[in-house]
Amino acid sequence: MHNGDSSGYYMHVVSLFVNQDIGDYTKTIDTYLKYNPQVPDPRKDKYGVRKTSKDKYYIKYTLGVGLMEIPAFLIAHAYASVSSDYKNDGWSQPYLFAVNISKVFYVLLGLFFLIKILEIYFKRSTVALTILSITFATNLFYHGTFLTLAHSFLFFDFCLLIYLSIRFYESPGKIKALAIGGLVGIIALTRVPEVVSLLIPLFWGVYNKETLKT
């Protein structure tokens, strides 16, 4: 399912780890087209890679999703490298399977942290109903099972960010602060306007003038 936006995000990973053709992407795109001959060439498609004034190419998609796909990619790459059935080119079935499964993992992990958050404020029956509703009555289920886009990854990022913000104010520390800063960075790299996520840890617990002063 690596067509359109999903292939754009993932192309960063293949280019870096397999072909080392950043700025050109010839090998990465040629291999991609070999597996997906029905799609437009990203170099010719106005929604694909863009050409710079220095005759180089850049991928218009941000790096966040690709960064979060790296663990799954590396597992698939290790398997494909020793397998006689698949090529270790970044686009064969082990890679697609691993990366597609990774988004399910991130959604489940996001739900885990969301449960931890809600349990602080609500009784278990309310938490259970909320989790079931979010999982099956919103577009989270669709994005977590059918599409490999930014949504599933951002869901995890925001759940973890809220959880870390709560824990930071309970017991401040440098490691927690660095984790929050790194997570906000990944969120911004995933979708640039989401840099406003920084407001969550900055203003957590602020609801009037007194708490703002505190």
Side-chain angles (χ1 to χ4, degrees):
M1 287 185 283
H2 275 110
N3 291 319
D5 291 359
S6 59
S7 63
Y9 292 122
Y10 181 64
M11 208 175 287
H12 288 294
V13 185
V14 179
S15 178
L16 175 63
F17 288 99
V18 179
N19 299 310
Q20 294 83 48
D21 60 351
I22 295 173
D24 178 66
Y25 304 110
T26 297
K27 291 181 180 178
T28 299
I29 293 174
D30 286 347
T31 309
Y32 166 64
L33 293 174
K34 188 186 300 182
Y35 284 93
N36 301 276
Q38 77 284 0
V39 302
D41 188 327
R43 290 160 295 196
K44 300 176 182 177
D45 183 5
K46 66 178 181 179
Y47 300 109
V49 297
R50 308 290 177 81
K51 202 169 190 178
T52 71
S53 58
K54 295 185 178 181
D55 208 31
K56 295 286 187 179
Y57 287 96
Y58 73 93
I59 299 171
K60 72 171 186 174
Y61 297 96
T62 50
L63 291 167
V65 171
L67 286 174
M68 296 182 70
E69 290 175 336
I70 287 175
F73 168 86
L74 291 177
I75 293 172
H77 191 56
Y79 173 77
S81 296
V82 298
S83 172
S84 59
D85 297 322
Y86 302 101
K87 293 183 178 181
N88 59 344
D89 55 10
W91 297 104
S92 60
Q93 285 300 315
Y95 297 96
L96 302 190
F97 176 79
V99 171
N100 282 319
I101 285 294
S102 74
K103 70 178 183 289
V104 179
F105 171 79
Y106 281 117
V107 168
L108 292 175
L109 201 55
L111 289 171
F112 170 79
F113 285 112
L114 183 56
I115 290 171
K116 292 291 186 182
I117 294 164
L118 294 175
E119 283 180 338
I120 299 172
Y121 306 102
F122 305 101
K123 59 185 181 180
R124 286 192 170 183
S125 58
T126 303
V127 173
L129 181 60
T130 301
I131 293 298
L132 286 172
S133 299
I134 290 174
T135 304
F136 298 108
T138 71
N139 63 355
L140 179 64
F141 180 80
Y142 179 66
H143 281 281
T145 54
F146 289 95
L147 298 175
T148 309
L149 300 178
H151 306 71
S152 302
F153 302 95
L154 283 172
F155 172 75
F156 162 76
D157 290 336
F158 273 98
C159 289
L160 181 56
L161 179 62
I162 294 170
Y163 178 79
L164 288 176
S165 298
I166 294 171
R167 295 307 180 203
F168 176 82
Y169 283 102
E170 289 178 347
S171 176
K174 290 183 179 179
I175 293 177
K176 293 175 185 176
L178 287 171
I180 288 171
L183 192 55
V184 170
I186 289 175
I187 290 172
L189 280 174
T190 302
R191 185 164 286 167
V192 178
E194 301 294 346
V195 71
V196 297
S197 61
L198 179 61
L199 298 178
I200 294 174
L202 284 180
F203 292 100
W204 187 262
V206 175
Y207 52 88
N208 58 26
K209 289 184 179 179
E210 294 305 314
T211 51
L212 179 61
K213 291 178 181 177
T214 302

